[in-house]
Amino acid sequence: MDSALQDPHNGSAEAGSPANGTTRPPSTPEGIALAYGSLLLMALLPIFFGALRSVRCTRGKNSSDMPETITSRDAARFPIIASCTLLGLYLFFKVYFPNKNYTGLVLKTWKIQKSKKGKTAVIQNPTTRDSHRFPLEIFSQEYINLLLSMYFFVLGILALSHTISPFMNKVFPANFPSRQYQLLFTQGSGENKEGGRGSPAPGSGLTRPLCPEIINYEFDTKDLVCLGLSSIVGVWYLLRKHWIANNLFGLAFSLNGVELLHLNNVSTGCILLGGLFIYDVFWVFGTNVMVTVARSFEAPIKLVFPQDLLEKGLEADNFAMLGLGDIVIPGIFIALLLRFDISLKKNTHTYFYTSFAAYIFGLGLTIFIMHIFKHAQPALLYLVPACIGFPVLVALAKGEVTEMFSYESSAEILPHTPRLTHFPTVSGSPASLAASMQQKLAGPRRRRPQNPSAM
């Protein structure tokens, strides 16, 4: 997960240079201000609207609309999983050792040196002085990025379609033809599926046997139109890798993350943000792993905006970037505080606006520090203390600390959400149950009046 705010081409230590060996011209103050301001605005949009949509998010008809609750155990494990994923991506791009003959203890006695060209590695035995030259990377970076591009192509289309669907529903006219569809994947053999052996007879009033649902997605014609529009953006991104298409997918991923990822309480949010605070600081300041992955990883996992837009227009290529982790992680905590505000039933959104202002302050401070020191900054280093500290201070001033930390988001019964409170008791043998069901079906029925003319 890329979680560092970076200014890779503005004279920093990580500044890149064009292929012809010439240095990039420095960005103008106007271009830098436009890039930073745009990144800040793009970060605020998915947090604000994602938090509002998280309130209305219910366990609806589609499995994709169901919020995923993050528990304290999940929060504690998340930084470890993220670190393993980040390191794995780094090893894919940088670590090499394609010769399978050198395994086991032999690896400990051979020295690996990177050649000047950066494309091959010289492996030399210190005893025999034999040396061999191997490719630097296990897998070609182009193939890895192609595979990831196809994955995010599909994922981005679905995320963008889900994002624009509520807005497009207001655009369609009332007489727009709409047909309902359902995509259902269940687990089980043919005997346990609807219509298979052992299924209840039609009209018996019994439901089909409960099968684990892998995918249960209901959609209509309007959703197909949204999917088609999103596919146009997907093809644009796949073919051109344009920064606008990248940002459209990045905004969609961020909004869906804030909407569908729910923290169950404030304590879990503190555990998650605290763990990722350490994760972010270590991988940005302690190593070059995160910066390397962010530049090598061609996927919409970051928002970018060109600093030379005023000079080169839409073909600009001198980008400042912000990782999606710096948006989604604080965003789900801000959305939790919005739901806490609503649970107080005071018709105020004090904690939401406080945490939202804290996020603006933290991200603005990150941009300022990065611009001063000309070095990539771990944004969570500034966002986590602000997003946790400001609301806690407000709760202390209002005397609502106990209410804040005892609030359980997962315990809420959202509007229009059916909740099963008990299971019916069923007793008796299958034969007796079948006999009683037959008696109910064979009970007295209303006779249909006969047509006098037919008599």
Side-chain angles (χ1 to χ4, degrees):
M1 178 181 61
D2 173 32
S3 187
L5 184 63
Q6 300 174 27
D7 181 13
H9 302 304
N10 189 28
S12 63
E14 297 81 19
S17 59
N20 57 9
T22 61
T23 59
R24 292 179 182 271
S27 301
T28 62
E30 295 81 5
I32 295 175
L34 178 61
Y36 290 160
S38 300
L39 286 178
L40 179 60
L41 178 62
M42 287 191 294
L44 295 178
L45 290 177
I47 292 178
F48 185 83
F49 291 104
L52 294 179
R53 290 175 61 161
S54 73
V55 176
R56 299 189 295 266
C57 183
T58 62
R59 297 190 176 276
K61 58 184 181 180
N62 295 332
S63 59
S64 61
D65 294 336
M66 296 181 181
E68 184 72 23
T69 301
I70 301 176
T71 63
S72 58
R73 183 179 180 182
D74 299 329
R77 292 186 300 180
F78 189 80
I80 302 175
I81 298 174
S83 297
C84 295
T85 303
L86 183 67
L87 185 60
L89 291 173
Y90 178 80
L91 295 178
F92 263 117
F93 289 122
K94 288 298 179 184
V95 173
Y96 54 90
F97 211 96
N99 195 321
K100 298 180 180 180
N101 295 327
Y102 302 123
T103 57
L105 297 178
V106 179
L107 293 177
K108 298 181 180 181
T109 62
W110 285 60
K111 294 181 179 180
I112 301 174
Q113 299 173 345
K114 184 177 179 180
S115 66
K116 295 181 179 180
K117 295 182 179 180
K119 295 297 183 180
T120 60
V122 177
I123 304 177
Q124 186 179 35
N125 192 313
T127 304
T128 63
R129 300 298 179 180
D130 295 335
S131 61
H132 301 273
R133 191 177 297 272
F134 296 102
L136 180 62
E137 296 172 351
I138 298 177
F139 302 102
S140 173
Q141 180 175 330
E142 290 76 12
Y143 292 149
I144 297 175
N145 281 321
L146 178 61
L147 180 62
L148 293 174
S149 296
M150 295 301 299
Y151 172 74
F152 282 100
F153 167 75
V154 177
L155 201 62
I157 289 176
L158 296 177
L160 186 59
S161 176
H162 180 264
T163 300
I164 66 176
S165 180
F167 303 101
M168 295 300 296
N169 287 334
K170 299 179 181 180
V171 176
F172 290 113
N175 58 352
F176 185 83
S178 179
R179 294 184 179 180
Q180 298 294 327
Y181 304 93
Q182 183 179 15
L183 181 64
L184 179 63
F185 288 165
T186 59
Q187 181 180 356
S189 61
E191 298 180 358
N192 296 327
K193 291 183 179 180
E194 186 175 5
R197 188 174 62 184
S199 298
S204 63
L206 296 177
T207 59
R208 60 184 176 88
L210 296 178
C211 297
E213 294 181 351
I214 301 175
I215 297 177
N216 185 4
Y217 191 83
E218 296 182 9
F219 55 96
D220 53 20
T221 310
K222 298 178 181 179
D223 296 324
L224 292 178
V225 174
C226 296
L227 197 64
L229 295 176
S230 302
S231 300
I232 297 176
V233 179
V235 174
W236 182 23
Y237 170 78
L238 192 63
L239 297 179
R240 297 291 304 275
K241 294 293 191 303
H242 199 275
W243 60 274
I244 296 181
N246 174 90
N247 288 346
L248 290 176
F249 277 170
L251 290 172
F253 288 142
S254 301
L255 190 143
N256 280 274
V258 175
E259 176 189 359
L260 300 176
L261 292 176
H262 287 193
L263 295 167
N264 61 349
N265 53 50
V266 175
S267 299
T268 300
C270 293
I271 295 173
L272 179 65
L273 267 66
L276 291 176
F277 172 88
I278 301 174
Y279 156 90
D280 208 15
V281 172
F282 173 77
W283 289 113
V284 174
F285 283 157
T287 67
N288 67 337
V289 171
M290 185 173 291
V291 176
T292 301
V293 171
R295 293 179 184 171
S296 304
F297 199 64
E298 294 182 2
I301 61 170
K302 53 185 178 291
L303 299 180
V304 298
F305 199 90
Q307 301 181 24
D308 53 348
L309 179 67
L310 300 178
E311 292 80 15
K312 296 185 179 180
L314 296 180
E315 299 302 324
D317 57 355
N318 184 9
F319 295 102
M321 63 186 71
L322 176 67
L324 298 189
D326 300 327
I327 302 174
V328 176
I329 300 303
I332 60 178
F333 187 75
I334 295 173
L336 171 67
L337 294 179
L338 175 60
R339 298 194 296 272
F340 170 63
D341 276 325
I342 296 176
S343 69
L344 295 177
K345 299 180 180 179
K346 294 183 179 180
N347 295 325
T348 60
H349 297 158
T350 305
Y351 295 100
F352 171 69
Y353 291 131
T354 301
S355 57
F356 196 73
Y359 182 85
I360 298 175
F361 170 78
L363 190 57
L365 182 61
T366 306
I367 294 174
F368 176 76
I369 298 296
M370 184 193 66
H371 183 64
I372 294 298
F373 291 97
K374 307 297 183 184
H375 191 278
Q377 295 294 314
L380 294 182
L381 173 64
Y382 311 96
L383 290 173
V384 170
C387 291
I388 294 179
F390 283 29
V392 171
L393 290 177
V394 172
L396 286 172
K398 299 181 67 173
E400 296 177 344
V401 177
T402 304
E403 290 83 353
M404 172 185 285
F405 282 88
S406 62
Y407 167 71
E408 288 284 341
S409 177
S410 58
E412 290 182 344
I413 300 179
L414 298 174
H416 312 292
T417 304
R419 185 64 62 91
L420 183 63
T421 58
H422 67 280
F423 291 93
T425 302
V426 180
S427 60
S429 63
S432 60
L433 291 176
S436 61
M437 183 58 65
Q438 291 295 332
Q439 293 177 1
K440 291 181 180 180
L441 293 176
R445 299 181 180 178
R446 295 179 57 186
R447 295 178 60 86
R448 183 178 179 181
Q450 297 180 354
N451 190 349
S453 61
M455 297 180 60

